């Protein structure tokens, strides 16, 4: 899967678990919005839209797109 496909699938409501530097992260959604969560300590960032998640969500100060080559899905 490439980055654009991930964005499209999240926008359609799919949820994903992925790994970055041996840490597990979860992209999820509910009726209130979209979430980017670090699993080990449940640290979560919330967004109104999936686009906001991909633009404003940060892991180690970088967007998912900036880290894409290091992410394992």
């Amino acid at each position: 899967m490439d980055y654009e496909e991930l964005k499209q699938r999240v926008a359609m409501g799919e949820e994903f678990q992925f790994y970055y530097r041996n840490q597990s992260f979860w992209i999820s959604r509910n009726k209130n919005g979209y979430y980017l969560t670090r699993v080990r300590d449940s640290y979560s960032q919330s967004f109104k839209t999936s686009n906001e998640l991909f633009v404003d969500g940060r892991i180690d100060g970088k967007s998912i797109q900036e880290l894409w080559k290091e992410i394992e899905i």
Side-chain angles (χ1 to χ4, degrees), residues 43-55:
Y43 172 73
S44 187
Q45 300 169 58
S46 61
F47 307 93
K48 291 183 181 181
T49 67
S50 63
N51 189 57
E52 285 182 18
L53 182 149
F54 287 103
V55 170

Side-chain angles (χ1 to χ4, degrees), residues 2-3 7 15 19 21 24 28 32 34 42 44 46 48 59 66 68 72:
D2 65 21
Y3 176 74
K7 284 178 56 177
E15 298 184 337
Y19 298 89
R21 293 189 177 175
S24 178
S28 60
N32 298 317
Y34 293 80
S42 298
S44 187
S46 61
K48 291 183 181 181
I59 299 171
E66 291 172 304
W68 183 247
E72 297 176 37

